[in-house]
Coordinates of all heavy atoms in Angstrom, one line a residue:
G166 N 147.6 -55.5 209.6 CA 149.0 -55.5 209.2 C 149.2 -56.5 208.0 O 149.9 -56.2 207.1
A167 N 148.5 -57.6 208.0 CA 148.7 -58.5 206.9 C 148.1 -58.0 205.6 O 148.5 -58.4 204.5 CB 147.9 -59.8 207.2
L168 N 147.2 -57.0 205.6 CA 146.6 -56.4 204.5 C 147.3 -55.2 204.0 O 146.9 -54.7 202.9 CB 145.2 -56.1 204.7 CG 144.3 -57.4 204.8 CD1 142.8 -57.0 205.2 CD2 144.2 -58.1 203.5
R169 N 148.2 -54.7 204.7 CA 148.9 -53.5 204.3 C 149.6 -53.6 202.9 O 150.3 -54.6 202.7 CB 150.0 -53.1 205.3 CG 150.6 -51.8 205.2 CD 151.5 -51.3 206.3 NE 150.8 -51.2 207.6 CZ 151.3 -50.7 208.7 NH1 152.5 -50.3 208.7 NH2 150.5 -50.7 209.8
G170 N 149.3 -52.7 202.1 CA 149.7 -52.7 200.7 C 148.9 -53.6 199.8 O 149.1 -53.6 198.6
R171 N 147.9 -54.3 200.3 CA 147.1 -55.2 199.5 C 145.6 -54.9 199.7 O 144.7 -55.6 199.2 CB 147.3 -56.7 200.0 CG 148.7 -57.2 200.0 CD 149.2 -57.2 198.6 NE 148.5 -58.1 197.7 CZ 148.7 -59.4 197.7 NH1 149.5 -60.0 198.5 NH2 148.0 -60.1 196.8
A172 N 145.3 -53.8 200.4 CA 143.9 -53.5 200.6 C 143.7 -52.0 200.8 O 144.7 -51.3 201.1 CB 143.3 -54.1 201.8
S173 N 142.6 -51.5 200.6 CA 142.2 -50.0 200.8 C 140.7 -50.0 201.4 O 139.9 -50.8 201.1 CB 142.3 -49.3 199.5 OG 141.3 -49.6 198.6
V174 N 140.5 -48.9 202.1 CA 139.2 -48.6 202.7 C 138.8 -47.2 202.3 O 139.6 -46.3 202.7 CB 139.2 -48.8 204.2 CG1 137.8 -48.5 204.7 CG2 139.6 -50.2 204.6
H175 N 137.7 -47.0 201.7 CA 137.2 -45.7 201.4 C 136.1 -45.4 202.3 O 135.1 -46.2 202.5 CB 136.7 -45.7 200.0 CG 136.2 -44.3 199.5 ND1 137.1 -43.3 199.3 CD2 135.0 -43.7 199.4 CE1 136.4 -42.2 198.9 NE2 135.2 -42.4 199.1
L176 N 136.1 -44.3 203.1 CA 135.2 -43.9 204.1 C 134.3 -42.8 203.6 O 134.8 -41.9 203.0 CB 136.0 -43.5 205.4 CG 135.3 -42.7 206.4 CD1 134.3 -43.7 207.2 CD2 136.2 -42.0 207.4
V177 N 133.0 -43.0 203.9 CA 132.1 -42.0 203.5 C 131.2 -41.5 204.8 O 130.5 -42.4 205.3 CB 131.1 -42.4 202.5 CG1 130.0 -41.3 202.2 CG2 131.8 -42.8 201.2
D178 N 131.4 -40.3 205.2 CA 130.6 -39.7 206.3 C 129.2 -39.4 205.6 O 129.2 -38.6 204.7 CB 131.3 -38.6 206.9 CG 130.4 -37.9 208.0 OD1 129.3 -37.3 207.7 OD2 130.8 -37.9 209.1
K179 N 128.1 -40.0 206.1 CA 126.9 -39.9 205.5 C 126.3 -38.4 205.4 O 125.8 -37.9 204.5 CB 125.8 -40.8 206.0 CG 126.2 -42.3 205.8 CD 125.2 -43.2 206.5 CE 125.6 -44.6 206.3 NZ 124.7 -45.6 207.0
E180 N 126.6 -37.7 206.6 CA 126.0 -36.3 206.6 C 126.8 -35.5 205.7 O 126.3 -34.6 205.0 CB 126.1 -35.8 208.0 CG 125.5 -34.4 208.2 CD 125.5 -34.0 209.7 OE1 125.1 -34.8 210.5 OE2 125.8 -32.7 209.9
F181 N 128.1 -35.6 205.6 CA 129.0 -34.8 204.8 C 128.6 -35.2 203.3 O 128.7 -34.3 202.4 CB 130.4 -35.0 205.0 CG 131.3 -34.1 204.3 CD1 131.2 -32.8 204.2 CD2 132.3 -34.7 203.5 CE1 132.0 -31.9 203.5 CE2 133.2 -33.8 202.7 CZ 133.0 -32.5 202.7
F182 N 128.4 -36.5 203.1 CA 127.9 -36.9 201.7 C 126.7 -36.0 201.2 O 126.6 -35.6 200.1 CB 127.7 -38.4 201.7 CG 126.9 -38.8 200.5 CD1 127.6 -38.9 199.2 CD2 125.6 -39.1 200.5 CE1 127.0 -39.4 198.0 CE2 124.8 -39.5 199.3 CZ 125.6 -39.7 198.1
L183 N 125.7 -35.9 202.2 CA 124.5 -35.1 201.8 C 124.9 -33.7 201.4 O 124.3 -33.1 200.5 CB 123.6 -35.2 203.0 CG 122.7 -36.5 203.2 CD1 121.9 -36.3 204.4 CD2 121.9 -36.8 202.0
V184 N 125.8 -33.2 202.1 CA 126.2 -31.7 201.9 C 126.9 -31.7 200.5 O 126.6 -30.7 199.7 CB 127.1 -31.2 203.0 CG1 127.5 -29.8 202.6 CG2 126.4 -31.2 204.3
T185 N 127.7 -32.6 200.1 CA 128.3 -32.6 198.8 C 127.3 -32.8 197.7 O 127.4 -32.3 196.7 CB 129.4 -33.7 198.7 OG1 128.8 -35.1 198.8 CG2 130.5 -33.6 199.7
R186 N 126.2 -33.6 198.1 CA 125.2 -33.8 197.1 C 124.4 -32.4 196.9 O 124.0 -32.2 195.7 CB 124.2 -34.8 197.5 CG 124.6 -36.2 197.2 CD 124.7 -36.3 195.7 NE 124.9 -37.7 195.2 CZ 125.9 -38.2 194.6 NH1 126.9 -37.3 194.3 NH2 125.9 -39.4 194.1
I187 N 124.2 -31.6 197.9 CA 123.6 -30.4 197.7 C 124.4 -29.5 196.7 O 123.8 -28.9 195.9 CB 123.4 -29.6 199.1 CG1 122.4 -30.4 200.1 CG2 123.0 -28.2 198.9 CD1 122.4 -29.9 201.4
V188 N 125.6 -29.5 196.9 CA 126.5 -28.7 196.0 C 126.6 -29.3 194.7 O 126.4 -28.5 193.7 CB 127.9 -28.5 196.6 CG1 128.9 -27.9 195.7 CG2 127.9 -27.8 197.9
D189 N 126.8 -30.6 194.5 CA 127.0 -31.2 193.2 C 125.7 -31.2 192.5 O 125.7 -31.1 191.1 CB 127.4 -32.7 193.4 CG 128.8 -32.9 194.1 OD1 129.6 -31.9 193.9 OD2 129.1 -33.9 194.7
L190 N 124.6 -31.4 193.1 CA 123.3 -31.5 192.3 C 122.6 -30.1 192.1 O 122.1 -29.9 191.1 CB 122.3 -32.3 193.1 CG 122.5 -33.9 193.1 CD1 121.5 -34.5 194.0 CD2 122.5 -34.4 191.7
L191 N 122.7 -29.3 193.1 CA 121.9 -28.0 193.0 C 122.8 -26.8 192.7 O 122.1 -25.8 192.5 CB 121.1 -27.8 194.3 CG 120.3 -29.0 194.7 CD1 119.6 -28.6 196.1 CD2 119.3 -29.4 193.7
L192 N 124.0 -26.9 192.8 CA 124.8 -25.7 192.4 C 125.7 -26.0 191.2 O 126.3 -25.1 190.5 CB 125.8 -25.3 193.5 CG 125.1 -24.7 194.8 CD1 126.2 -24.3 195.9 CD2 124.4 -23.4 194.4
A193 N 125.7 -27.2 190.7 CA 126.5 -27.7 189.5 C 125.6 -28.5 188.7 O 124.5 -28.9 189.1 CB 127.8 -28.3 189.9
E194 N 126.1 -28.9 187.6 CA 125.5 -29.9 186.7 C 125.5 -31.3 187.3 O 126.6 -31.8 187.4 CB 126.0 -29.8 185.3 CG 125.3 -30.8 184.3 CD 123.8 -30.6 184.1 OE1 123.3 -29.4 184.3 OE2 123.1 -31.5 183.8
P195 N 124.4 -31.9 187.6 CA 124.5 -33.3 188.1 C 125.3 -34.3 187.2 O 125.2 -34.2 186.0 CB 123.1 -33.7 188.3 CG 122.3 -32.5 188.3 CD 123.1 -31.5 187.4
S196 N 126.1 -35.1 187.8 CA 127.0 -36.0 187.0 C 127.3 -37.2 187.8 O 127.3 -37.2 189.1 CB 128.2 -35.3 186.5 OG 129.1 -35.2 187.5
Y197 N 127.7 -38.3 187.1 CA 128.1 -39.5 187.8 C 129.5 -39.3 188.4 O 130.0 -40.3 189.2 CB 128.1 -40.7 186.9 CG 126.7 -41.5 186.9 CD1 125.6 -40.9 186.3 CD2 126.6 -42.6 187.7 CE1 124.3 -41.5 186.4 CE2 125.4 -43.2 187.8 CZ 124.3 -42.7 187.2 OH 123.1 -43.3 187.3
A198 N 130.2 -38.3 188.0 CA 131.5 -38.1 188.6 C 131.5 -37.4 190.0 O 132.4 -37.3 190.7 CB 132.4 -37.2 187.7
A199 N 130.2 -36.9 190.3 CA 130.0 -36.1 191.4 C 130.4 -36.9 192.8 O 130.1 -38.1 192.8 CB 128.6 -35.6 191.6
G200 N 130.9 -36.2 193.7 CA 131.3 -36.9 195.0 C 132.6 -37.6 195.0 O 132.9 -38.3 195.9
T201 N 133.3 -37.5 193.9 CA 134.6 -38.2 193.8 C 135.8 -37.0 193.7 O 135.5 -35.9 193.4 CB 134.7 -39.1 192.6 OG1 134.7 -38.4 191.4 CG2 133.5 -40.0 192.6
R202 N 137.0 -37.6 193.6 CA 138.1 -36.7 193.3 C 138.0 -35.9 192.0 O 138.7 -34.9 191.8 CB 139.5 -37.5 193.4 CG 139.6 -38.4 192.2 CD 140.8 -39.3 192.2 NE 140.7 -40.3 193.3 CZ 141.6 -41.2 193.5 NH1 142.7 -41.2 192.9 NH2 141.3 -42.1 194.4
L203 N 137.1 -36.4 191.1 CA 137.0 -35.8 189.8 C 136.2 -34.5 189.9 O 136.3 -33.7 188.9 CB 136.3 -36.7 188.8 CG 137.0 -38.1 188.6 CD1 136.2 -39.0 187.6 CD2 138.4 -37.9 188.1
T204 N 135.6 -34.2 191.0 CA 134.9 -33.0 191.3 C 135.4 -32.3 192.5 O 134.6 -31.6 193.2 CB 133.3 -33.2 191.3 OG1 133.1 -34.2 192.4 CG2 132.8 -33.6 190.0
R205 N 136.7 -32.4 192.8 CA 137.2 -31.8 193.9 C 137.1 -30.4 194.0 O 137.2 -29.7 195.1 CB 138.7 -32.3 194.2 CG 139.6 -31.7 193.1 CD 141.1 -32.3 193.3 NE 141.1 -33.7 192.9 CZ 142.2 -34.4 193.3 NH1 143.2 -34.0 193.9 NH2 142.2 -35.7 192.9
D206 N 136.9 -29.7 192.9 CA 136.8 -28.2 192.9 C 135.5 -27.8 193.6 O 135.4 -26.6 194.0 CB 136.8 -27.6 191.5 CG 135.9 -28.3 190.5 OD1 135.6 -29.5 190.7 OD2 135.2 -27.6 189.7
H207 N 134.5 -28.7 193.8 CA 133.3 -28.4 194.5 C 133.5 -28.6 196.0 O 132.6 -28.2 196.9 CB 132.1 -29.2 194.0 CG 131.8 -29.0 192.6 ND1 131.2 -30.0 191.8 CD2 132.2 -28.1 191.7 CE1 131.0 -29.6 190.6 NE2 131.6 -28.4 190.5
R208 N 134.5 -29.3 196.4 CA 134.6 -29.7 197.8 C 134.7 -28.5 198.8 O 134.3 -28.5 199.9 CB 135.8 -30.7 198.0 CG 135.8 -31.5 199.2 CD 134.7 -32.4 199.3 NE 134.6 -33.3 198.1 CZ 135.3 -34.5 198.0 NH1 136.1 -34.8 198.9 NH2 135.1 -35.2 197.0
P209 N 135.5 -27.5 198.5 CA 135.6 -26.3 199.4 C 134.3 -25.7 199.8 O 134.0 -25.4 200.9 CB 136.5 -25.3 198.7 CG 137.3 -26.1 197.8 CD 136.4 -27.2 197.4
A210 N 133.3 -25.6 198.9 CA 132.0 -25.1 199.1 C 131.3 -26.0 200.1 O 130.6 -25.6 201.0 CB 131.3 -24.9 197.8
A211 N 131.4 -27.3 199.8 CA 130.7 -28.2 200.7 C 131.2 -28.3 202.1 O 130.5 -28.4 203.1 CB 130.7 -29.6 200.0
L212 N 132.5 -28.2 202.2 CA 133.2 -28.2 203.4 C 132.8 -27.0 204.2 O 132.5 -27.0 205.5 CB 134.7 -28.3 203.3 CG 135.6 -28.4 204.5 CD1 135.1 -29.7 205.4 CD2 137.0 -28.5 204.2
A213 N 132.7 -25.8 203.6 CA 132.4 -24.6 204.3 C 131.0 -24.6 204.8 O 130.6 -24.2 206.0 CB 132.5 -23.3 203.4

């Protein structure tokens, strides 16, 4: 409660991260933006 509005937590599920990497690296051009909101158009394929 003391940190509300003053902090954030970004969660990464490791297995889902691997799946996004399969899509980002092997179906698209690898980039340092991969795995972030900047490549959200790849997320539906990884989720499926």
Side-chain angles (χ1 to χ4, degrees):
L168 289 175
R169 188 170 299 187
R171 305 295 301 277
S173 67
V174 179
H175 185 76
L176 167 70
V177 177
D178 179 292
K179 293 177 182 178
E180 185 174 320
F181 186 56
F182 168 76
L183 283 177
V184 180
T185 65
R186 274 301 190 244
I187 291 170
V188 173
D189 292 336
L190 288 175
L191 304 183
L192 290 178
E194 177 61 27
S196 76
Y197 268 79
T201 72
R202 70 185 70 178
L203 303 177
T204 55
R205 68 183 69 191
D206 53 322
H207 300 161
R208 198 65 55 82
L212 185 57

